[in-house]
């Protein structure tokens, strides 16, 4: 299935809960930098949500997975535009009652940004090891573990898998001020992060969790960036967060 984003085809997977229900909530799920929608931790979150009666819409972002675009040409602005198109698509689905969003790493950062823009539409967000340091390290010239002059951005950089990345990635990332977006989104936020993350330092999530007005923070002890050891703790946190939202609304 493809979602159109201004002529760019985004590969997407819509998965429904097992029970045959007429209407249900939907969660959009976004993968990370160099990732895609079929990664183990993305599929685990999809299945966990389907189990508790939430449909999921996983979308490959520009230059990733089976979507259009070259990896080297992707930027956070392109991903943001992609997510806005995915939300527009979700809004048109008849069965959808509420829209949630979840994102891993750079997908978590992108969901954080999109949620602020769509704060009237998106009911709650789940940020899994969100790569919120990207704008800051783009400004200090330390992205991808490479040092560069942030005032003279190289035309091309190399990602850790050897693929090239256009300097425009850095130019875009430098402009983003996370706080502006965090301030704007006051609905429930779940942050999940492994305290042995090798790619995105755990401390960034500790700080972020204090900046959000309405945030639950779950530490995955001993785990890394893609939860190789305790993935079940991530899926449990996701289910618990969504179900606790249902319960609190029933008491209103
Ligand atoms: C970086 C560290 C982490 C970086 C990107 C990430 C582009 C993102 C990781 C992910 O999405 O899994 O320096 O630079």
């Amino acid at each position: 299935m493809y979602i159109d984003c201004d002529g760019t085809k985004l590969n997407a997977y819509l998965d429904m809960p097992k029970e045959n229900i007429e209407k249900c909530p939907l969660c959009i799920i976004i993968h990370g930098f160099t990732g895609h929608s079929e990664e183990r931790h993305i599929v685990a979150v999809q299945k966990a949500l389907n189990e508790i009666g939430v449909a999921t819409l996983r979308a490959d972002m520009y230059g990733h997975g089976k979507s259009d675009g070259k990896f080297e040409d992707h930027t956070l602005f392109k991903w943001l535009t992609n997510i806005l198109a995915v939300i527009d698509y979700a809004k048109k689905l008849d069965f959808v009652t509420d829209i949630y969003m979840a994102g891993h790493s750079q997908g978590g950062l992108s969901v954080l940004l999109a949620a602020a823009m769509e704060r009237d539409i998106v009911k709650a967000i789940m940020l899994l090891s969100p790569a919120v340091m990207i704008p800051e390290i783009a400004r200090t010239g330390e992205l991808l573990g490479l040092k560069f002059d942030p005032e003279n951005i190289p035309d091309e950089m190399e990602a850790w898998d050897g693929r090239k990345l256009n300097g425009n990635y850095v130019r875009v990332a430098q402009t983003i001020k996370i706080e502006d977006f965090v301030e704007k989104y006051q609905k429930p936020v779940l942050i999940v992060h492994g305290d042995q993350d090798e790619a995105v330092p755990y401390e960034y999530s500790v700080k972020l969790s204090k900046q959000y007005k309405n945030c639950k923070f779950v530490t995955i002890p001993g785990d890394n960036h893609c939860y190789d050891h305790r993935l079940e703790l991530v899926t449990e946190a996701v289910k618990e967060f969504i179900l606790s939202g249902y319960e609190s609304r029933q008491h209103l």
Side-chain angles (χ1 to χ4, degrees):
M1 192 253 278
Y2 288 97
I3 296 173
D4 172 70
C5 175
D6 301 333
T8 298
K9 277 195 303 177
L10 302 177
N11 177 50
Y13 307 82
L14 177 62
D15 293 286
M16 301 300 290
K18 278 189 203 76
E19 314 86 70
N20 227 346
I21 30 179
E22 251 176 59
K23 285 186 178 283
C24 64
L26 176 100
C27 183
I28 293 165
I29 307 176
I30 309 294
H31 62 78
F33 181 83
T34 71
H36 56 81
S37 300
E38 292 181 288
E39 290 176 292
R40 172 178 167 269
H41 55 288
I42 298 294
V43 171
V45 170
Q46 168 239 312
K47 294 212 158 104
L49 288 163
N50 293 164
E51 272 168 31
I52 59 163
V54 178
T56 52
L57 182 56
R58 290 172 289 151
D60 290 341
M61 296 287 95
Y62 185 100
H64 285 68
K66 297 183 176 124
S67 286
D68 283 351
K70 288 200 217 122
F71 171 81
E72 63 184 81
D73 292 333
H74 92 279
T75 69
L76 288 167
F77 284 170
K78 285 182 185 166
W79 277 32
L80 253 183
T81 305
N82 293 164
I83 295 176
L84 298 185
V86 174
I87 295 172
D88 284 345
Y89 177 88
K91 282 202 281 196
K92 290 193 198 115
L93 296 170
D94 288 341
F95 70 85
V96 174
T97 52
D98 293 319
I99 297 178
Y100 299 106
M101 286 203 288
H104 176 249
S105 199
Q106 179 166 295
L109 167 62
S110 305
V111 161
L112 177 163
L113 303 175
M117 295 177 187
E118 301 269 359
R119 59 198 175 280
D120 48 341
I121 303 294
V122 177
K123 201 113 189 163
I125 58 172
M126 298 180 274
L127 309 178
L128 313 174
S129 313
V132 286
M133 77 302 172
I134 289 177
E136 190 182 307
I137 63 177
R139 285 192 284 271
T140 53
E142 293 163 69
L143 211 61
L144 291 162
L146 308 164
K147 288 238 187 289
F148 58 90
D149 175 0
E151 295 308 317
N152 291 285
I153 297 161
D155 290 338
E156 215 173 63
M157 310 190 60
E158 202 171 289
W160 42 68
D161 60 2
R163 282 189 286 178
K164 299 274 177 266
L165 184 58
N166 194 300
N168 286 343
Y169 177 95
V170 183
R171 294 176 193 277
V172 165
Q174 284 186 340
T175 68
I176 296 167
K177 289 274 162 64
I178 299 291
E179 306 72 40
D180 296 346
F181 295 84
V182 170
E183 206 169 86
K184 277 217 147 39
Y185 193 75
Q186 304 193 354
K187 290 178 179 174
V189 177
L190 171 68
I191 300 178
V192 176
H193 211 128
D195 64 8
Q196 300 299 313
D197 192 324
E198 71 293 0
V200 175
Y202 169 75
E203 290 67 34
Y204 279 93
S205 277
V206 176
K207 185 172 162 217
L208 180 67
S209 69
K210 292 175 186 151
Q211 290 169 330
Y212 269 118
K213 290 231 161 52
N214 190 353
C215 183
K216 182 176 179 198
F217 182 44
V218 175
T219 298
I220 311 297
D223 220 344
N224 56 19
H225 192 51
C226 294
Y227 323 108
D228 287 335
H229 309 295
R230 307 301 305 275
L231 184 56
E232 75 284 359
L233 295 182
V234 178
T235 51
E236 271 165 34
V238 162
K239 289 200 246 188
E240 223 265 322
F241 175 71
I242 297 293
L243 291 172
S244 68
Y246 289 163
E247 278 151 23
S248 63
R249 275 202 295 285
Q250 276 163 15
H251 294 302
L252 289 177

